Amino acid sequence: MMSGSNWKAGVAATKITPAEPMWLAGWAARREPATGKAAELFTKALVLQDAQGGRALIITADLIAVPREVAQQVSAQLQTRRGIPRDRILFNASHTHTGPEVRPDKVPFFEIPAEYAAKIGPYVSGLVDKMVSISTAALESLQPVTLTIRGAKADFARNRRRIEDPRDPDVPVLEVTRSDQKLLALVFGYACHNLTLPPSFCQFHGDYAGVAQRHLEEAFPGATALFLAGAGADQDPFPRGAPEWAEQHGRSLGLAVQRSFENPGRAVSGQLGVGLREVLLDFAPVPAVETLAMDLQSDDPPRRRKAEFLLSALKEKRPLPVSYPCPIQVLRFGEELLLIALGGEPTVEYALQFKAEFAGPLVWVAGYCNDMFGYVPTRRIQREGGYEGGRAMLWSALPGPFTESVEERVVEAVRRLVGETKAESR
């Protein structure tokens, strides 16, 4: 049995704050670009290597999303240059609503002016280069470390559908400690939308997740803090709507991570097991032309805009997808840590189910991983409807909504990967 010190790690980070005004992502109500910088945005890379040489690379970003195309381009370059297979790279976006828009398909739905739409491509190209650069730097700085898992709690998330609906207070923590007993990196997560700041706040900022990372890096000089957004699609910070709340929530989250050091952690032993697959999520049939024509007269602007988009596609015979490939990834660290990374915006019930079903190791469920295409609701939420249940698709180029097979397919894919990685990590 290997001890928690039979690991190596390397870490690197760089700023990704735009040098010029760009359209901010996440709020359709915005009608102006970023007017300045309130806080820096970062992308960070952490490489973990077990005693057999098996590696995992975690790349985080203070952005609304890491689009599928970005993940593909970065992974392709790293596989060619460094020989890292795609299934060993995990991308996660903090989902801040005060970072630059990086999804060109959102331009018509968020009514982004052409001047700012034209800036998305060059920014994304630079983002790819930076992610490849920091990943390379992390790989070239491997050093002996001890891995320790810890747990904490935070209580500012609330279920935004109904106050009595589920939430997840867990704050999982992975401590990466150098041989001189100083921290090299801290990875932590929380299931809550990263949108404390209101739509009227038009400056670059990492929101509470950015504040928490800054707080931890100040508390542990020389360490790099990486945030993994959890399955918080139906969770909002409370209270929210002002910069001071972003500071308070970020600080409270950082303090929760610090308090986790007051109790003994659990050293990570064994070896790394990884798995990645894409599961097809089916869309419901596109409404009939007659129905879409009626939607053009709706007093609901997003519904009118989506009807225009679909009718234009049908008229021009542009193919509309019948399904979407949702990435599901599992990283297993021996018998101690099971990290389940879901694409899209998964609702909190996925995390609660997987924690109960796979109890034994610390089960860490992250969302917004490897692609951020839209909400991934449970069957219950789909049947209830509402924003997470389907309405959010009105702001998407995907035909939507999904059929009720979504939950079944996601859960089945996770179960298969958990089984496969358990055999691999022994």
Side-chain angles (χ1 to χ4, degrees):
M1 176 71 70
M2 295 183 294
S3 74
S5 61
N6 282 53
W7 291 82
K8 290 183 178 181
V11 68
T14 192
K15 296 175 184 177
I16 55 171
T17 319
E20 60 181 343
M22 287 187 66
W23 208 259
L24 292 170
W27 294 109
R30 282 199 178 105
R31 288 296 176 265
E32 61 179 308
T35 56
K37 174 184 68 178
E40 298 285 5
L41 306 176
F42 292 88
T43 184
K44 303 175 182 180
L46 173 67
V47 179
L48 299 169
Q49 178 177 297
D50 66 19
Q52 280 71 42
R55 293 176 174 177
L57 170 60
I58 298 173
I59 301 174
T60 64
D62 295 323
L63 294 170
I64 191 81
V66 177
R68 178 184 184 86
E69 294 75 19
V70 170
Q72 288 175 330
Q73 291 177 47
V74 174
S75 298
Q77 291 192 44
L78 290 174
Q79 182 156 6
T80 299
R81 299 180 188 182
R82 310 295 303 197
I84 302 179
R86 173 65 187 92
D87 62 354
R88 291 181 174 268
I89 306 174
L90 186 159
F91 296 86
N92 181 271
S94 75
H95 201 56
T96 178
H97 286 44
T98 41
E101 182 58 83
V102 291
R103 303 162 296 176
D105 58 300
K106 294 298 183 184
V107 168
F109 300 98
F110 285 67
E111 299 180 325
I112 300 176
E115 173 188 358
Y116 296 100
K119 296 182 179 184
I120 296 176
Y123 178 84
V124 168
S125 179
L127 175 67
V128 169
D129 291 342
K130 289 181 177 181
M131 286 182 167
V132 172
S133 178
I134 61 167
S135 299
T136 301
L139 285 161
E140 292 176 348
S141 63
L142 287 172
Q143 59 181 291
V145 296
T146 297
L147 301 185
T148 306
I149 54 171
R150 302 181 181 278
K153 303 283 185 183
D155 64 0
F156 60 84
R158 298 288 187 276
N159 196 303
R160 67 191 191 187
R161 292 177 65 82
R162 286 183 297 263
I163 190 65
E164 68 272 15
D165 275 8
R167 51 184 172 140
D168 181 6
D170 289 348
V171 179
V173 179
L174 176 63
E175 172 197 344
V176 184
T177 307
R178 303 183 324 202
S179 56
D180 62 4
Q181 302 308 304
K182 293 184 178 180
L183 280 178
L184 176 68
L186 270 176
V187 189
F188 65 104
Y190 190 51
C192 182
H193 249 96
N194 197 22
L195 45 53
T196 316
L197 298 166
S200 59
F201 186 92
C202 291
Q203 297 184 66
F204 297 120
H205 194 293
D207 211 287
Y208 80 77
V211 173
Q213 291 172 84
R214 185 192 72 214
H215 171 89
L216 289 168
E217 291 177 351
E218 291 172 351
F220 301 100
T224 300
L226 299 91
F227 175 76
L228 288 184
D234 51 351
Q235 311 292 304
D236 275 356
F238 179 83
R240 65 186 179 94
E244 54 265 32
W245 289 116
E247 288 290 329
Q248 178 168 315
H249 295 328
R251 181 173 174 78
S252 69
L253 182 56
L255 289 172
V257 173
Q258 285 182 259
R259 285 194 297 271
S260 73
F261 284 76
E262 297 173 0
N263 300 310
R266 185 177 178 185
V268 178
S269 58
Q271 65 188 70
L272 185 65
V274 301
L276 173 67
R277 70 172 65 242
E278 291 184 334
V279 56
L280 293 179
L281 306 183
D282 293 338
F283 295 114
V286 175
V289 171
E290 294 78 11
T291 301
L292 294 174
M294 291 177 60
D295 285 347
L296 290 177
Q297 310 305 316
S298 171
D299 58 2
D300 181 11
R303 190 169 298 280
R304 290 200 306 271
R305 193 180 304 113
K306 188 60 176 278
E308 291 171 0
F309 173 82
L310 292 174
L311 284 169
S312 175
L314 293 171
K315 180 179 180 180
E316 298 171 12
K317 300 190 183 316
R318 298 198 309 269
L320 292 169
V322 297
S323 61
Y324 193 91
C326 173
I328 308 289
Q329 189 175 24
V330 169
L331 276 63
R332 182 187 288 272
F333 297 81
E335 295 297 321
E336 290 78 31
L337 174 61
L338 181 65
L339 175 54
I340 299 170
L342 306 177
E345 296 191 64
T347 53
V348 74
E349 287 173 302
Y350 284 104
L352 300 178
Q353 175 177 341
F354 295 144
K355 289 180 187 183
E357 182 170 343
F358 304 121
L362 184 148
V363 180
W364 185 335
V365 181
Y368 307 92
C369 293
N370 299 308
D371 186 13
M372 215 298 285
F373 52 87
Y375 283 82
V376 183
T378 58
R379 182 178 289 108
R380 177 184 71 83
I381 289 177
Q382 284 182 294
R383 290 177 177 175
E384 289 179 356
Y387 188 75
E388 300 84 2
R391 179 170 168 79
M393 283 288 191
L394 295 179
W395 287 268
S396 171
L398 300 176
F402 291 120
T403 67
E404 289 188 2
S405 63
V406 166
E407 180 179 351
E408 177 184 348
R409 293 188 178 184
V410 169
V411 170
E412 179 185 5
V414 168
R415 286 172 176 162
R416 291 183 62 181
L417 286 172
V418 167
E420 292 170 6
T421 56
K422 185 173 185 178
E424 182 182 350
S425 65
R426 288 173 177 166

